[in-house]
Amino acid sequence: MPTPTATDDLYHELALTLLPGIGPQLTRQLMSYGSSAKNVFLLPPGKLRRIPGVGEATIKILTGAERGKALTQAEASLRKAEKEGVQILFYTSKQFPSRLKLIPDAPVLLYYQGPADLNAPKTLALVGTRQATDYGREQTERIIKGVLPHQPLIISGLAYGIDIMAHRAALQEGLATVGVMATGLDIIYPAAHRKTAEKMRETGGLLTEFPFGTQPDRYNFPQRNRIIAGLADGTVVVEAAAKGGALITAELALSYDRDVLAVPGPLGVPTSEGCNALIKTNKAALYQEPADLEQLLNWDAALHLPGKFQPLPSYSADDFSSEEFSLVSVLAAAPGRELHMDELAWKAQQPIHAVASLLLGLEFRGVVRALPGKKFGLI
C-alpha cells in the first residue's frame, strides 16, 4: 500500500466510513473501543467479538476483502481532496461543526470545500418548495436583507426553488452561504446551479457527507436535510406544499430542539399549505419581520454594530467551583452568543444533569441568564 498523502489518522478514519454496512453509530462504537480508527483496523476477530453491536458480518468486513477496498478508496479520496482543496472532517476534528455533534444521528465524516466558518456564531437555514413563486422569492430576499446586521451563515440545500434563491440572495448581499449537498462534492446537482455553486466555493462553501462520485440518489436527500437542520440555530420555511423535503427539514429541526419559523402565505395556494399548517399546529413560529426571528433566536443586532459591543465582565476562577468556572469560561469564549445546554455540557465535558444544576445555581447568583429553548448566556 503506497504511503497516504494525508495524515495516518485521517487515512484510517476515512477508510472506516467507506466500509459497507458500518454506519455512524457503529463507527462511534468501534472508535470508543479502539480509541483510533487505525487501531480499529488492527483489532483481531477475538477482540472485535467483545464489542457490543459487532457480529460476524461486521468482523468479515473489517478483516476481509472489503477492508482493502476501503483503504484503497480512502487513499484515492485523500489525493483528490488535497488536489481540489477539500477538507475531510472526522467527527473528532476540532473543525467538525459543533452544532452537528449535538444531534443523535449526526454524520461521522464530512467533505467540505470553501472558506466559510461552519462554527459561525450565528447560522440560519432557509428552505422551501422547489416550485417557488414570485412571492417566495420576494420573501426570501426580504429575510436575507433583514438578517444582514447579524451576518449569519446562510444554509440551504442548493436545490431548485427557495434553496437556490436563498443562496443567491445571500451572495448578492455579501453573506457567507453553505450548500449542503446530496451528492459527492464533484457532482453539482442540479447542474443548472453550477455557476452559483462555484461562487459559493469562493466565499461560502459546499458540504456533504457523501464520498466523491456519489450520484443524486433519491434516498440521499432526506439524509442531507438532517445536516441542514442540525447546522442551523433556526430554520425558516419560506414556501412549502403540504408534503415535501422542506417539511421534513422542519420536523428534523424540531426533533433537535432547534427553532423553526414559517412565512405565512395566501389561503388556497398549494405552495403555502405547508407553511400555514406549521403555524396552525404550533410547530413553527410566525415570521413577519426580522424581529420575530431575533426574538426567537435571542439575536441582538446591537452586538454587531460598530461601537455598540459591550465587553463581557471578567470572572476569576476563585469566584466559582471548578465545574462552574468551566461553564462560565465556555460562555465567555462565545461573546454575543447564547449556548444551548447540550452544547455547554459537551464543550465543558460535563454530564448534562450536572450542568442543569450548575446553571440553575449560576442563574440565582446573577452570573448567567436563562433563555427560551434551553439556551444560556452571561449577564
Side-chain angles (χ1 to χ4, degrees):
M1 180 71 62
T3 302
T5 57
T7 69
D8 202 37
D9 284 343
L10 184 57
Y11 169 56
H12 288 93
E13 289 163 356
L14 177 54
L16 188 58
T17 69
L18 295 172
L19 289 167
I22 298 183
Q25 185 174 353
L26 185 52
T27 297
R28 292 186 179 91
Q29 182 82 331
L30 290 167
M31 287 289 293
S32 68
Y33 279 82
S35 75
S36 74
K38 183 176 182 179
N39 287 345
V40 169
F41 279 101
L42 296 175
L43 289 173
K47 289 190 176 181
L48 287 170
R49 288 188 181 94
R50 297 175 195 160
I51 301 176
V54 174
E56 294 304 316
T58 301
I59 292 172
K60 184 177 180 181
I61 290 170
L62 283 165
T63 59
E66 296 291 352
R67 176 183 185 275
K69 291 179 183 177
L71 290 168
T72 300
Q73 187 180 351
E75 184 183 356
S77 294
L78 284 172
R79 287 177 174 166
K80 185 176 180 66
E82 185 177 25
K83 180 180 178 181
E84 299 185 7
V86 172
Q87 300 177 59
I88 298 179
L89 308 174
F90 198 55
Y91 76 99
T92 55
S93 165
K94 291 182 179 180
Q95 285 74 42
F96 193 93
S98 58
R99 292 174 179 86
L100 276 187
K101 291 184 179 181
L102 301 176
I103 69 173
D105 53 352
V108 293
L109 187 135
L110 296 167
Y111 301 79
Y112 180 55
Q113 191 173 35
D117 181 7
L118 296 176
N119 287 305
K122 297 180 181 181
T123 57
L124 183 69
L126 271 71
V127 297
T129 179
R130 297 179 182 225
Q131 309 299 323
T133 66
D134 287 341
Y135 173 77
R137 177 183 54 76
E138 291 167 3
Q139 295 305 316
T140 299
E141 293 173 354
R142 181 169 163 260
I143 292 168
I144 294 295
K145 289 179 180 178
V147 299
L148 272 176
H150 303 279
Q151 292 292 296
L153 176 66
I154 301 298
I155 302 158
S156 199
L158 205 68
Y160 286 112
I162 297 299
D163 286 25
I164 197 64
M165 290 174 179
H167 292 310
R168 287 172 177 165
L171 288 169
Q172 178 68 30
E173 299 298 334
L175 288 180
T177 180
V178 167
V180 184
M181 300 166 60
T183 62
L185 281 183
D186 53 343
I187 298 176
I188 301 299
Y189 179 83
H193 297 163
R194 183 175 298 279
K195 287 186 178 180
T196 302
E198 292 299 332
K199 292 180 181 177
M200 291 167 64
R201 277 193 178 112
E202 295 172 5
T203 61
L206 300 177
L207 181 72
T208 185
E209 67 178 312
F210 299 105
F212 293 117
T214 301
Q215 297 294 324
D217 297 318
R218 184 173 59 182
Y219 52 80
N220 291 353
F221 290 90
Q223 282 188 250
R224 181 273 308 273
N225 292 345
R226 85 190 195 287
I227 296 179
I228 295 174
L231 275 176
D233 295 327
T235 296
V236 182
V237 185
V238 181
E239 277 190 314
K243 294 181 180 179
L247 297 188
I248 293 174
T249 305
E251 292 287 352
L252 286 165
L254 289 168
S255 73
Y256 301 150
D257 201 20
R258 307 291 170 84
D259 293 311
V260 176
L261 300 97
V263 177
L267 298 179
V269 177
T271 52
S272 295
E273 289 180 4
C275 289
N276 292 342
L278 285 171
I279 297 168
K280 181 179 180 180
T281 56
N282 294 318
K283 290 184 176 180
L286 174 70
Y287 182 93
Q288 289 182 296
E289 57 184 358
D292 298 325
L293 186 148
E294 291 167 350
Q295 183 177 5
L296 191 66
L297 299 183
N298 301 301
W299 286 5
D300 183 358
L303 292 174
H304 293 274
L305 296 176
K308 295 289 186 179
F309 179 74
Q310 297 297 321
L312 292 168
S314 59
Y315 293 101
S316 167
D318 296 334
D319 299 327
F320 307 98
S321 68
S322 59
E323 292 82 6
E324 288 174 333
F325 190 66
S326 176
L327 293 175
V328 171
S329 298
V330 170
L331 288 168
R337 287 186 61 196
E338 292 81 28
L339 302 183
H340 192 279
M341 185 188 297
D342 291 344
E343 185 176 0
L344 271 170
W346 172 72
K347 288 187 173 181
Q349 292 296 291
Q350 296 187 43
I352 188 68
H353 63 85
V355 168
S357 176
L358 291 167
L359 287 170
L360 183 61
L362 290 170
E363 184 181 358
F364 285 149
R365 291 167 58 186
V367 177
V368 304
R369 64 185 185 278
L371 300 155
K374 297 182 181 179
K375 292 183 178 181
F376 294 82
L378 289 176
I379 291 178

